[in-house]
């Protein structure tokens, strides 16, 4: 009892002491002070979250630029300068839009529309052998494999896999495309668990989006994660940024190692209780380099998180390259920890554009991809992918491509493109002013320069009819080798050598070229401004 009395006396004395202190302040101050403290704490918390997401440097620049734009006249000046850049980016295409239709013709053209379409098609760039990636089938689009795919698509142009009971043919084609693709990527391996499943999608981006959405919902069901985060390397495809925006997943991007591979240790340091997934690429789009998939698989297994492998480019090359004797590290469901894979059939699978596959290690994960609606007056509804109706002709075209080529066909194609890419790599190494980025594992060769502006080289190559891909961090360009390039390797190397010599002798931007724009974008510290430039350009272009 004495102890209780002492406690009560202490509480009464403390209350009296606090009241004597607080009596010196106005009641209004006592009400406002806690509210102000809460507001300040919230501001500090928001600032810490922004720094955590964007880094201190980017956050500081963002705040500084926001403050600068408040100065009268500054925002107007910046907007005007941005418009100048957008106009310059559009300079080559603006005039082409002048005669575009904006309403239906009064009288239909009938079959004559086909002739008009042929005329429009002739205005397209001459892509035969000149484009990085883009067209993966060899030859021209009116014979050989092109002709076969065109006929297959045409035969099933009016089918829709949404109607399972009506178009059973394309339903079967899709199931077999998925199964055949899965068999290339470890579904037959004992380590896969024997449950690999998936669906066809409209392309690599949709495959990635679905894998991210499924992983998010699966981890919420398994671990109750309501504030999901995913970790990717800087070299990972921009589709992951899109997925982060669409599905409200916080994106943590980590630097790559000196050899341009995902940094496993850096990813490990970013893992926390909200992490749902890590990503590895086989290979990465910028430099054609395979991430350490086995090590990432071990990381995912240890922390009990999902692990997606991006095989959009490599899915129809790496399995065959391994059979041909190339040193290809493990990259598929044979690796413990891999939970999902995206692979494009419309790239090296030589299927029609708009065909990809997303695969999952087991059905429990794939079920989170589906959308089921029970309360719609239109009836019970369930859909496997983002699209409801889907073009059955593309599904049929993918099936036709895989069936017509078979294992031997893909092996021969892989032999040709791997040899061509090695020749190009060797040829670039013999040009003193250029250097290869990293050690390419597949059919992408990226190169830059410490001696001249690589974007000016790219503009010169564009003037010679080539369409290469510009990269940043570091500034470089790459060529994604396809069957289109097998016959033009020497032409490419000769034109590249000439372009380098031209820039070396006459440095400076090419009229109408993109070098100044890429150069300016690389020097603008405010990345929000660069993003605004891209959005403004796209908004006024389509």
């Amino acid at each position: 009892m004495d102890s209780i009395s002492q406690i009560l006396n202490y509480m009464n004395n403390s209350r009296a002491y606090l009241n004597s202190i607080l009596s010196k302040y106005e009641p209004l101050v006592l009400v406002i002070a806690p509210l102000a403290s809460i507001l300040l704490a919230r501001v500090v918390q928001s600032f810490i979250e922004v720094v955590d997401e964007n880094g201190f440097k980017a956050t500081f620049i963002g705040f500084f630029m926001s403050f600068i734009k408040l100065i009268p006249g500054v925002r107007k000046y910046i907007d005007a300068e941005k418009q100048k850049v957008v106009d310059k980016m559009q300079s080559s295409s603006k005039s082409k839009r002048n005669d575009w239709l904006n309403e239906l013709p009064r009288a239909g053209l009938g079959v004559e529309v086909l002739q008009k379409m042929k005329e429009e098609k002739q205005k397209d760039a001459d892509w035969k052998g000149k484009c990085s990636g883009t067209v993966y089938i060899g030859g021209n689009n009116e014979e050989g494999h092109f002709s076969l795919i065109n006929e297959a698509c045409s035969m099933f142009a009016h089918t829709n896999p949404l109607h399972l009971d009506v178009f059973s043919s394309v339903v079967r084609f899709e199931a077999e495309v998925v199964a055949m693709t899965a068999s290339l990527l470890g579904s037959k391996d004992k380590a896969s668990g024997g449950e690999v499943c998936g669906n066809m999608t409209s392309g690599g981006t949709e495959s990635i989006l679905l894998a991210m959405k499924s992983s998010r919902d699966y981890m919420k069901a398994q671990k109750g994660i309501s504030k999901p985060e995913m970790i990717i390397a800087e070299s990972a495809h921009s589709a992951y940024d899109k997925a982060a925006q669409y599905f409200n997943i916080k994106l943590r991007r980590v630097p790559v190692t000196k050899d341009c591979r995902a940094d496993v240790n850096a990813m490990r340091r970013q893992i926390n209780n909200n992490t749902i997934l890590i990503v590895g690429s086989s290979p990465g789009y910028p430099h054609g380099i395979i991430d350490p998939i086995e090590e990432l698989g071990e990381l995912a297994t240890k922390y009990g998180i999902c692990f997606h492998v991006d095989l959009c480019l490599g899915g129809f090359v790496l399995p065959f390259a391994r059979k041909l004797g190339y040193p290809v590290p493990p990259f598929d469901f044979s690796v413990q920890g891999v939970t999902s894979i995206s692979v494009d059939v419309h790239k090296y699978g030589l299927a029609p554009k708009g065909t990809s596959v997303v695969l999952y290690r087991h059905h429990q994960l794939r079920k989170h991809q589906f959308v089921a609606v029970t309360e719609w007056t239109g009836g019970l509804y369930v859909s496997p992918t983002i699209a409801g109706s889907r073009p059955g002709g593309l599904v049929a075209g993918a099936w036709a491509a895989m069936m017509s080529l078979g294992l031997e066909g893909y092996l021969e194609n892989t032999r040709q493109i791997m040899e061509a890419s090695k020749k190009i790599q060797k040829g670039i190494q013999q040009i003193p002013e250029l250097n290869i980025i990293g050690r390419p594992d597949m059919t992408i060769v990226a190169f830059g320069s410490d001696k001249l502006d690589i974007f000016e080289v790219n503009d010169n190559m564009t003037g010679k009819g080539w369409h290469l891909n510009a990269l940043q961090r570091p500034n470089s360009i790459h060529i994604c080798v396809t069957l289109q390039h097998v016959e033009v390797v020497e032409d490419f190397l000769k034109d590249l050598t000439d372009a380098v010599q031209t820039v070396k002798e006459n440095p400076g931007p090419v009229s109408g070229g993109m070098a100044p724009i890429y150069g300016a974008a690389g020097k603008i510290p405010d990345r929000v401004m660069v993003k605004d430039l891209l959005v403004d350009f796209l908004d006024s272009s389509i």
Side-chain angles (χ1 to χ4, degrees):
M1 292 296 292
D2 291 340
S3 297
I4 295 176
S5 297
Q6 289 177 352
I7 292 173
L8 290 174
N9 286 333
Y10 176 77
M11 292 177 64
N12 286 329
N13 291 334
S14 297
R15 181 167 62 88
Y17 176 71
L18 287 173
N19 283 335
S20 67
I21 293 176
L22 295 176
S23 64
K24 300 175 183 179
Y25 298 94
E26 292 287 337
L28 185 60
V29 173
L30 296 178
V31 172
I32 292 176
L35 296 176
S37 298
I38 293 173
L39 179 61
L40 178 62
R42 180 56 185 158
V43 170
V44 172
Q45 180 187 15
S46 298
F47 179 76
I48 292 174
E49 289 175 352
V50 172
V51 171
D52 180 53
E53 183 172 348
N54 302 319
F56 181 80
K57 180 180 178 181
T59 302
F60 174 78
I61 292 173
F63 277 115
F64 178 75
M65 292 302 299
S66 297
F67 174 76
I68 289 294
K69 289 175 184 177
L70 294 175
I71 300 175
V74 171
R75 174 177 288 277
K76 186 175 181 181
Y77 172 77
I78 291 175
D79 289 341
E81 290 302 305
K82 275 199 308 183
Q83 190 58 48
K84 288 180 183 178
V85 176
V86 170
D87 290 342
K88 189 170 184 179
M89 293 169 72
Q90 290 181 322
S91 59
S92 62
S93 60
K94 236 177 181 180
S95 60
K96 298 177 183 178
R97 298 172 57 90
N98 293 335
D99 61 345
W100 285 12
L101 297 176
N102 52 33
E103 60 183 359
L104 281 170
R106 180 175 294 277
L109 301 180
V111 295
E112 291 181 12
V113 71
L114 298 176
Q115 180 58 38
K116 183 167 180 59
M117 293 175 75
K118 289 178 181 178
E119 293 171 359
E120 289 299 321
K121 189 175 183 180
Q122 290 176 353
K123 299 176 184 178
D124 290 345
D126 184 10
W127 49 261
K128 290 184 280 295
K130 291 281 191 175
C131 292
S132 171
T134 312
V135 179
Y136 291 77
I137 302 172
N140 63 60
N141 60 359
E142 295 178 356
E143 61 184 20
H145 190 77
F146 269 114
S147 179
L148 182 148
I149 296 301
N150 291 342
E151 186 170 348
C153 290
S154 177
M155 191 185 305
F156 291 86
H158 301 288
T159 62
N160 184 353
L162 178 67
H163 304 290
L164 305 177
D165 55 336
V166 179
F167 303 113
S168 60
S169 56
V170 293
V171 173
R172 172 181 176 173
F173 293 158
E174 177 173 7
E176 292 186 352
V177 166
V178 171
M180 288 189 289
T181 303
S183 71
L184 293 174
L185 303 176
S187 68
K188 304 297 183 182
D189 193 292
K190 186 177 180 180
S192 73
E195 279 192 45
V196 176
C197 53
N199 293 93
M200 287 190 68
T201 72
S202 63
T205 293
E206 186 184 358
S207 290
I208 289 170
L209 290 175
L210 289 172
M212 299 304 100
K213 186 265 184 191
S214 301
S215 298
R216 181 198 67 176
D217 294 352
Y218 176 75
M219 292 299 288
K220 183 176 183 179
Q222 295 294 310
K223 291 188 173 183
I225 297 176
S226 57
K227 295 182 179 180
E229 299 182 8
M230 62 178 174
I231 306 169
I232 68 172
E234 286 182 340
S235 55
H237 197 276
S238 53
Y240 298 99
D241 293 78
K242 187 178 289 188
Q245 292 183 35
Y246 283 3
F247 304 130
N248 196 28
I249 303 172
K250 184 174 181 178
L251 185 66
R252 292 186 179 271
R253 184 180 280 103
V254 300
V256 294
T257 57
K258 291 181 179 179
D259 58 358
C260 299
R261 291 166 22 116
D263 189 326
V264 179
N265 291 327
M267 285 194 169
R268 181 184 290 110
R269 289 191 292 270
Q270 291 290 336
I271 293 176
N272 58 53
N273 291 333
N274 289 322
T275 303
I276 61 167
L277 171 134
I278 57 176
V279 171
S281 303
S282 294
Y285 166 82
H287 312 117
I289 296 171
I290 299 174
D291 287 334
I293 302 302
E294 281 190 303
E295 295 176 52
L296 292 172
E298 293 173 3
L299 193 63
T301 301
K302 177 181 178 180
Y303 288 95
I305 56 180
C306 293
F307 174 28
H308 180 76
V309 178
D310 189 341
L311 274 159
C312 288
L313 268 169
F316 279 84
V317 174
L318 296 180
F320 308 110
R322 175 183 287 166
K323 288 181 181 294
L324 291 171
Y326 286 93
V328 178
F331 58 86
D332 54 22
F333 285 116
S334 64
V335 176
Q336 192 64 33
V338 174
T339 53
S340 58
I341 288 175
S342 53
V343 50
D344 287 356
V345 198
H346 66 201
K347 289 189 172 75
Y348 291 104
L350 307 191
K353 287 299 180 183
T355 52
S356 179
V357 171
V358 58
L359 298 170
Y360 300 97
R361 182 174 286 273
H362 49 75
H363 288 268
Q364 281 304 115
L365 184 49
R366 184 177 70 155
K367 286 179 181 178
H368 289 280
Q369 174 183 293
F370 302 158
V371 172
V373 180
T374 61
E375 305 307 307
W376 181 36
T377 56
L380 299 177
Y381 177 90
V382 63
S383 176
T385 60
I386 293 175
S389 292
R390 292 182 292 147
L394 297 183
V395 174
W399 187 84
M402 296 178 72
M403 293 294 289
S404 65
L405 289 166
L407 177 62
E408 292 181 357
Y410 283 118
L411 280 170
E412 175 57 21
N413 289 342
T414 301
R415 182 189 65 77
Q416 291 186 46
I417 57 176
M418 288 296 286
E419 289 179 359
S421 64
K422 297 304 178 186
K423 289 179 182 177
I424 287 177
Q425 183 177 340
K426 185 177 180 181
I428 293 173
Q429 288 172 331
Q430 293 176 351
I431 301 175
E433 293 80 8
L434 302 181
N435 57 274
I436 302 291
I437 307 296
R439 297 179 61 185
D441 288 310
M442 212 184 77
T443 52
I444 292 176
V445 184
F447 52 97
S449 176
D450 298 326
K451 301 176 180 178
L452 41 77
D453 189 329
I454 196 65
F455 296 135
E456 290 182 14
V457 174
N458 190 31
D459 284 342
N460 273 271
M461 290 294 283
T462 300
K464 298 175 185 296
W466 296 92
H467 299 270
L468 307 180
N469 299 105
L471 313 172
Q472 59 179 349
R473 299 177 182 175
N475 289 349
S476 50
I477 55 181
H478 85 205
I479 179 170
C480 178
V481 181
T482 73
L483 290 172
Q484 287 285 327
H485 301 114
V486 171
E487 303 297 328
V488 296
V489 170
E490 297 304 323
D491 293 338
F492 171 78
L493 291 173
K494 180 183 181 303
D495 284 347
L496 181 59
T497 301
D498 292 344
V500 167
Q501 191 63 28
T502 298
V503 174
K504 186 177 178 181
E505 295 175 354
N506 301 286
V510 175
S511 177
M514 298 295 286
I517 295 168
Y518 271 99
K523 295 174 183 177
I524 295 176
D526 183 9
R527 305 314 288 175
V528 174
M529 187 182 296
V530 178
K531 184 187 294 186
D532 289 344
L533 279 173
L534 295 176
V535 171
D536 289 346
F537 167 68
L538 185 62
D539 183 56
S540 55
S541 299
I542 59 176

